[in-house]
Amino acid sequence: MEGIMKELLIIGKAPIQYQVYDLKTKKNEVWMLGTDEREGADVYYELHGIKVNHPNTVYSLPDEVYRFGLPINSSIGALLVYAYIKGYKRITLIGAPMDATHEYAMQKPAVACIIGWLMAKGVKVDWGYMPQNTDYGRVKDID
């Protein structure tokens, strides 16, 4: 696996106060969920089979993503593993607070497991632009 110097921003569908263009820099790449109507991502991933209007949409990930034995039960979890395969060393999740609602109650522990696995592999992961009192799952840099 070849390392990439760019930071990756994975933007979920939760409302954020920033436009994609505000977050995009020359030093990062932006991935978004395909059903998100906001423009400006480098790639959109729609992993539920829903056809969308973004021309740069990917509808499936390589089988390798699912061969690590990790508990992938959400698009965010799958994209985190795919980012590892692609060689990203720094990933920021935005607009994916994974509040403890019905669906996220099962997905949050799986994403936490994947983030722990990534950290053990030397990948830094952070939840960016979260409200100040939202600290669950936020991973601090380990130096």
Side-chain angles (χ1 to χ4, degrees), residues 11-66:
I11 302 179
K13 288 190 62 173
I16 58 173
Q17 62 186 1
Y18 302 94
Q19 295 297 317
V20 177
Y21 299 110
D22 297 332
L23 302 170
K24 181 95 177 97
T25 70
K26 291 180 181 179
K27 296 181 180 180
N28 66 25
E29 184 168 331
V30 176
W31 293 358
M32 293 182 74
L33 301 183
T35 56
D36 196 312
E37 295 181 4
R38 293 174 280 192
E39 296 293 331
D42 295 292
V43 183
Y44 293 83
Y45 290 90
E46 192 358 83
L47 306 178
H48 300 93
I50 301 168
K51 295 297 178 194
V52 296
N53 292 326
H54 299 295
N56 51 341
T57 299
V58 173
Y59 291 97
S60 64
L61 298 176
D63 289 341
E64 183 181 2
V65 169
Y66 305 98

Side-chain angles (χ1 to χ4, degrees), residues 19 21 38 53 60 74-75 85 115 124 132 134:
Q19 295 297 317
Y21 299 110
R38 293 174 280 192
N53 292 326
S60 64
S74 68
S75 296
I85 292 168
I115 290 173
K124 294 182 178 184
Q132 186 172 0
T134 307

